[in-house]
Amino acid sequence: MPLLPRRFQRFKSVLNHRMADLTVLLEHVEKPHNLSAILRSCDAVGALEAHAVNLDGRPLRTYNSTAQGSQKWVPLNDHPDIETAVSVLRNKGFQLFGTYLGMDAKDYRDCDFTGPTAFVFGAEKWGLSHRARDLMDEILFIPMRGMVQSLNVSVATSTLLFESLRQRQIMGIAPTQGEGLQPNHYQRLLLEWSYPEVAAWCREQNKPYPALNEAGELMEELPRTVKLRY
Ligand code: SAM
């Protein structure tokens, strides 16, 4: 199917609002409807990607219709354990905010999420592990006023992601023109979203991605067999 100009503009508009410095880390969050809802919120707020640590031996992760395809637009990066995940994120400059309703936790409304922010969420049943809690820079909670002790994990995710966006918008630092991504990363994603088959072929062939013009057309002649794929 040819790339329609409207679709190309939509890809650009979404990438213009993406933030590489806002993410979530899920520790053993496994239920398909929760994973789906979380990725959908990441996409909606503009988080570039998400991270997960899974229990050993669990079957491949699945999504349900709640995701509305957002798993295609927000990659979920797997890590073998919480230590590795934390160290990867910390090396990228993220501040890690664990979510836990403990005595030492801080009300999320008193926290600053305008810098590189990773929210860390625990399993549906058990919450955040002791090990994970020990590794966090800060532990925060969303105050509860009802009979039930905690929120559904996807609701907690959405609350915090949108609080971060709200704070960034007030400070005038929420990206609107692609400033949230490195230029080469932006261009790479634009090509992958616009022409996934061409991107796959380039990767297979170990070739650099072709450039796109303002209208979203490929600026390079490709072999006929590749052209036929899109
Ligand atoms: N029994 C678990 C516990 O004691 O933590 C409840 C887990 S809760 C259903 C799943 C995850 O959602 C939690 O680990 C946390 O990441 C997040 N969560 C739920 N309610 C929250 C709240 N009020 N504040 C912060 N995080 C919350």
Side-chain angles (χ1 to χ4, degrees), residues 118-211:
F119 294 116
V120 187
F121 299 93
E124 288 88 350
K125 199 159 178 186
W126 314 112
L128 211 55
S129 68
H130 283 283
R131 182 67 190 128
R133 274 185 252 158
D134 286 345
L135 293 168
M136 297 297 110
D137 296 308
E138 190 99 68
I139 298 286
L140 57 79
F141 74 104
I142 303 164
M144 304 287 295
R145 293 159 53 100
M147 294 292 288
V148 181
Q149 274 188 341
S150 63
L151 292 165
N152 170 280
V153 63
S154 68
V155 175
T157 309
S158 186
T159 305
L160 295 175
L161 285 174
F162 277 94
E163 170 60 14
S164 174
L165 176 62
R166 189 190 70 84
Q167 292 184 6
R168 291 166 187 222
Q169 284 174 326
I170 287 173
M171 276 189 75
I173 57 166
T176 56
Q177 300 299 321
E179 325 82 288
L181 304 182
Q182 293 292 332
N184 56 352
H185 197 171
Y186 183 106
Q187 289 307 327
R188 202 169 73 230
L189 288 174
L190 188 58
L191 191 280
E192 287 173 356
W193 289 10
S194 306
Y195 298 95
E197 299 84 0
V198 174
W201 178 79
C202 290
R203 286 194 300 271
E204 270 161 41
Q205 302 292 318
N206 219 3
K207 283 182 183 294
Y209 288 167

Side-chain angles (χ1 to χ4, degrees), residues 30-31 95 113:
E30 315 242 295
K31 294 198 172 134
Q95 194 177 359
F113 306 132

